Amino acid sequence: MKGKSLVSILDYQVEEYLQIIQLASEFEALKHQNILHGKVVGSLFFEPSTRTRLSFESAVNHSGGRIIGFSDSNTSSSTKGESLKDTILTVANYCDLIVMRHPHDGAAKFASEISPVPIINAGDGANQHPTQTLLDMYSIYKTQGKLDNLTISLIGDLKYGRTVHSLLMAMMNFSPKFNLVSPKELCLPVEYKKILNAHSVPFNEDTDLHTILPETDILYMTRVQKERFSDPIEYEKNKNLYVLKSSMLENTKDNMKILHPLPRVNEISQCVDSSPKAYYFQQAKNGMFTRQAIISSILGLI
Amino acid sequence: MSTHIQGKQLNVSAIKNGTVIDHVPSKNLFEVISILKLQNIDSQITFGSNLESKKLGSKAIIKISDKFFVQDEINKIAILAPQARLSIIKDYAVVEKQKISVPEYIHGITKCFNPSCITNHQNIKPKYTVLADNPISLQCFYCEKITEQEHFDFI
Ligand SMILES: [Zn+2]
């Protein structure tokens, strides 16, 4: 991992997933507290994402590093017409590693080609957001004590949800069973189903959330957004079908945990929050430990 | 059948030395010319378009004197005109037929079909892995999205 950019979840293999998870747990146990001392991380948010930015900033701050950068393109030189290439080459002079978020697909890949320092992709348009996937995996590991042989149910927008696609691609290495529950119009794209089939990963597509709940270990909820539907009537028909309520948790497994990449709108009703099965806020906290692990590994400090 | 072949031989033999590109779809003629940068060649070039073709309906043919393409250039033709045929002419006779095959990787040539791709917003030449060749299907190196042949938009 040392010196290598992290652009896509497929840049890492099983061994690296496990290494990041192990390191994240060490950071959580407050080891390596000043490991980033003397390091400067560039944080380039060409589009705003407060949640992700704060997670990275807290990861750097909690490890004794410093962070420079901008939080949206209105305050950055790109609004003055500076090319992405020029911004990256300039900022790379001032830091040891660049974390970047960009509205366009493939921006981080391009940056990683030209940058003299490693790039961490904090989201490139609708394409990749690998640190989210790694924190999801850490959350799965932490709550289940393993990654293998789990029944993982993914709910909501499976067509456009990049976190869903990346999680499928990463977790398919650990003998899972996937339940894919979505409105017909937002079902998993066929290219991902082909990959699952090619690896003989069992999956079951469903439009009903209730049937899959009793066997689920990890319930991964996502937003169903109105603008994703070509027909507003379809949205109206579907909008309440993929909402989790506390009454639905009755027949679920004791070890089941509910994950969500956040921000949530209404797909998990507030009454679920007090359930011990609700895990999405701890999941966000795990993001900080995971990002500490990723940054330290890429900088070759661990 | 034999008259058809004879007719073709006659066309092909119209240059002394060089290359004939036959069976180019008429609609792609000028793109083939542009991709091969034939406008920068000093030797004699003749071409015909909207010629009758049993296979394509309408075809174009390009004859370039004293020009012999390298494999990389030939591969570019394959993107635009996978059914095209190349004949090497020496002394008015066809001495070799060059095989066209779609390359594994492509740099430039067509725009990425994904409007949100970084290559459509910055001055970045797109790169692709060729996933399939008939019809051609390209996967963008940057945004990972697929561009199908029917959506090609030549740069
Ligand atoms: Zn692209």
Side-chain angles (χ1 to χ4, degrees), chain B residues 37-117:
Chain B
K37 301 195 166 50
L38 297 185
Q39 67 272 26
N40 301 332
I41 291 178
D42 292 329
S43 56
Q44 196 180 68
I45 303 171
T46 56
F47 59 82
S49 190
N50 302 323
L51 308 173
E52 203 178 304
S53 159
K54 282 195 179 134
K55 222 172 158 187
L56 300 170
S58 164
K59 69 165 187 176
I61 186 164
I62 310 169
K63 305 170 193 178
I64 311 117
S65 292
D66 303 316
K67 170 76 185 169
F68 304 96
F69 293 105
V70 297
Q71 196 60 45
D72 196 43
E73 293 172 302
I74 296 168
N75 291 347
K76 285 184 177 174
I77 302 171
I79 305 300
L80 293 157
Q83 298 104 326
R85 302 222 191 106
L86 261 78
S87 305
I88 311 295
I89 313 294
K90 296 227 164 112
D91 239 349
Y92 297 108
V94 177
V95 294
E96 192 191 331
K97 301 253 185 202
Q98 264 175 327
K99 204 173 147 43
I100 287 192
S101 64
V102 180
E104 276 177 68
Y105 300 99
I106 289 171
H107 200 185
I109 299 182
T110 181
K111 281 189 190 171
C112 179
F113 186 60
N114 173 11
S116 299
C117 179

Side-chain angles (χ1 to χ4, degrees), chain A residues 8 83-84 102 104-107 109-110 113 127-128, chain B residues 114 116-118 121-122 124 127 141-145:
Chain A
S8 155
S83 71
L84 174 59
H102 198 282
H104 294 137
D105 305 351
K109 183 82 175 180
F110 171 72
E113 273 191 317
N127 188 32
Q128 292 278 345
Chain B
N114 173 11
S116 299
C117 179
I118 189 71
H121 294 269
Q122 300 265 331
I124 301 169
K127 289 196 269 192
F141 175 78
Y142 296 104
C143 76
E144 305 176 21
K145 296 287 182 297

Side-chain angles (χ1 to χ4, degrees), chain A residues 94-139:
Chain A
Y94 311 140
C95 59
D96 301 290
L97 175 150
I98 290 173
V99 173
M100 69 176 275
R101 171 91 163 202
H102 198 282
H104 294 137
D105 305 351
K109 183 82 175 180
F110 171 72
S112 74
E113 273 191 317
I114 56 152
S115 172
V117 301
I119 301 284
I120 295 178
N121 184 5
D124 60 324
N127 188 32
Q128 292 278 345
H129 190 9
T131 62
Q132 174 72 45
T133 310
L134 288 163
L135 81 87
D136 292 342
M137 294 173 85
Y138 178 49
S139 299

Side-chain angles (χ1 to χ4, degrees), chain A residues 219-233:
Chain A
L219 187 65
Y220 198 95
M221 302 292 297
T222 64
R223 281 194 300 290
V224 174
Q225 291 163 286
K226 190 174 186 174
E227 59 269 26
R228 299 301 194 195
F229 286 85
S230 51
D231 180 356
I233 293 171

